[in-house]
């Protein structure tokens, strides 16, 4: 079966996945964007196709390598995608958001889909039942909130995320954990409720690196898939072949 290498270069991590017939067989974390790191993946998995979503200033030699070794597509606002983007400045839409929108439209067509990406930032991406990506919202992600509390105060420490914490924090650490993680869960639930009041045939998808901290904390019914962005990238790659 043809194999597609889907690469997602985000602000926090560089990730990739091996996808065939829409199914992710393996996710591969990448240490950095040097050519040798990508070459190792290509040699091991021998992908015929590749697609890159990047929101950083990555090493341009990576694209040259992918073009030489595979049928390569770089995702941008000029790409053919299974959704339309009737927004004021489509060139400003992040490639990762386009991939999430494509995944929603491919997996759940003819629904009003809200895709929530939990990464460096939380992105709310709304694709209506006509497969129009209308936009949404962006707010700080979990790590950004932890770091900002430390950076913009004199004495608050930098806290790492943990699963178990009380609603009512009893020390500085648990106060921050409750404020950030519980607060984010309520923000996400509130945003979902606001969309649900406005749109019928409404569906919610959750993805991103912090998905495991929130999938079980939300009161709303959601479709949670940590590989959603890869499935969107694969759909766009096939769309552009």
């Amino acid at each position: 079966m043809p194999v597609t290498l889907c690469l997602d270069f985000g602000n926090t991590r560089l990730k990739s996945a091996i996808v065939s017939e829409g199914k992710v067989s393996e996710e591969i974390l990448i240490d950095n964007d040097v050519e040798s790191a990508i070459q190792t993946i290509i040699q091991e998995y021998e992908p015929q196709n590749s697609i890159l979503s990047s929101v950083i200033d990555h090493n341009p030699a990576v694209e040259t390598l992918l073009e030489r070794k595979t049928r390569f597509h770089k995702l941008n606002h000029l790409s053919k995608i299974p959704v339309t983007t009737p927004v004021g400045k489509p060139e400003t839409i992040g490639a990762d958001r386009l991939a999430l929108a494509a995944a929603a439209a491919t997996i759940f067509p003819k629904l009003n889909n809200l895709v929530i990406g939990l990464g460096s930032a939380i992105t709310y991406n709304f694709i209506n039942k006509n497969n129009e990506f209308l936009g949404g919202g962006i707010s700080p992600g979990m790590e950004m909130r932890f770091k900002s509390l430390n950076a913009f105060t004199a004495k608050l420490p930098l806290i790492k995320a943990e699963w178990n914490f009380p609603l009512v924090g009893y020390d500085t650490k648990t106060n921050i954990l409750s404020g950030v993680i519980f607060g984010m869960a309520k923000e996400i639930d509130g945003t979902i409720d606001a969309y649900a009041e406005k749109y019928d045939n409404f569906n919610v998808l959750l993805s991103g690196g912090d998905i495991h901290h929130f999938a079980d904390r939300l009161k709303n019914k959601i479709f949670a898939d940590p590989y959603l962005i890869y499935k969107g990238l694969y759909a766009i790659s096939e769309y552009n072949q």
Side-chain angles (χ1 to χ4, degrees):
M1 297 293 178
V3 171
T4 300
L5 173 61
C6 299
L7 300 114
D8 172 30
F9 287 7
N11 289 297
T12 304
R13 294 188 302 168
L14 309 182
K15 309 182 295 295
S16 66
I18 303 301
V19 186
S20 181
E21 294 190 317
K23 297 181 180 180
V24 176
S25 60
E26 187 168 352
E27 182 181 41
I28 307 155
L29 300 182
I30 305 171
D31 291 332
N32 53 61
D33 60 352
V34 297
E35 290 175 86
S36 58
I38 309 302
Q39 179 66 43
T40 298
I41 297 173
I42 293 174
Q43 288 177 341
E44 181 173 354
Y45 296 97
E46 299 182 344
Q48 290 78 38
N49 307 311
S50 65
I51 182 169
L52 170 64
S53 163
S54 177
V55 296
I56 62 172
D57 294 324
H58 60 268
N59 178 7
V62 168
E63 295 183 29
T64 303
L65 174 63
L66 292 168
E67 287 175 345
R68 191 169 71 247
K69 296 291 186 176
T70 68
R71 290 189 294 271
F72 171 65
H73 182 77
K74 181 181 178 180
L75 177 57
N76 58 47
H77 70 284
L78 298 177
S79 299
K80 297 177 182 178
I81 59 177
V83 297
T84 58
T85 55
V87 297
K89 295 183 178 181
E91 68 275 10
T92 65
I93 302 174
D96 55 336
R97 300 184 72 186
L98 292 175
L100 291 175
T106 302
I107 300 172
F108 295 103
K110 298 181 181 180
L111 292 178
N112 288 311
N113 288 298
L114 177 64
V115 189
I116 304 172
L118 299 176
S120 299
I122 306 174
T123 63
Y124 299 95
N125 309 283
F126 183 67
I127 306 92
N128 69 15
K129 60 187 177 183
N130 298 317
N131 282 352
E132 297 174 314
F133 178 22
L134 300 182
I138 301 174
S139 71
M142 183 174 66
E143 289 298 327
M144 193 180 297
R145 297 182 194 215
F146 284 136
K147 290 178 180 178
S148 66
L149 287 173
N150 173 246
F152 294 106
T153 65
K155 296 185 178 181
L156 290 180
L158 179 60
I159 298 298
K160 294 292 184 181
E162 294 182 7
W163 275 98
N164 297 315
F165 60 87
L167 171 62
V168 181
Y170 54 82
D171 59 11
T172 301
K173 177 181 177 180
T174 53
N175 271 268
I176 292 175
L177 287 169
S178 179
V180 170
I181 298 180
F182 183 75
M184 281 180 63
K186 291 305 177 185
E187 173 197 319
I188 294 168
D189 268 329
T191 301
I192 293 171
D193 288 344
Y195 275 85
E197 289 176 4
K198 188 172 182 178
Y199 298 98
D200 57 4
N201 296 321
F202 180 64
N203 184 51
V204 183
L205 299 86
L206 188 70
S207 193
D210 290 334
I211 187 174
H212 58 285
H213 288 291
F214 296 95
D216 295 330
R217 295 184 184 274
L218 303 178
K219 68 179 179 64
N220 286 283
K221 183 179 179 181
I222 57 173
F223 174 82
D225 186 348
Y227 297 149
L228 194 64
I229 193 166
Y230 301 129
K231 295 176 181 179
L233 288 172
Y234 177 81
I236 294 171
S237 176
E238 291 293 292
Y239 209 69
N240 282 271
Q241 290 301 324

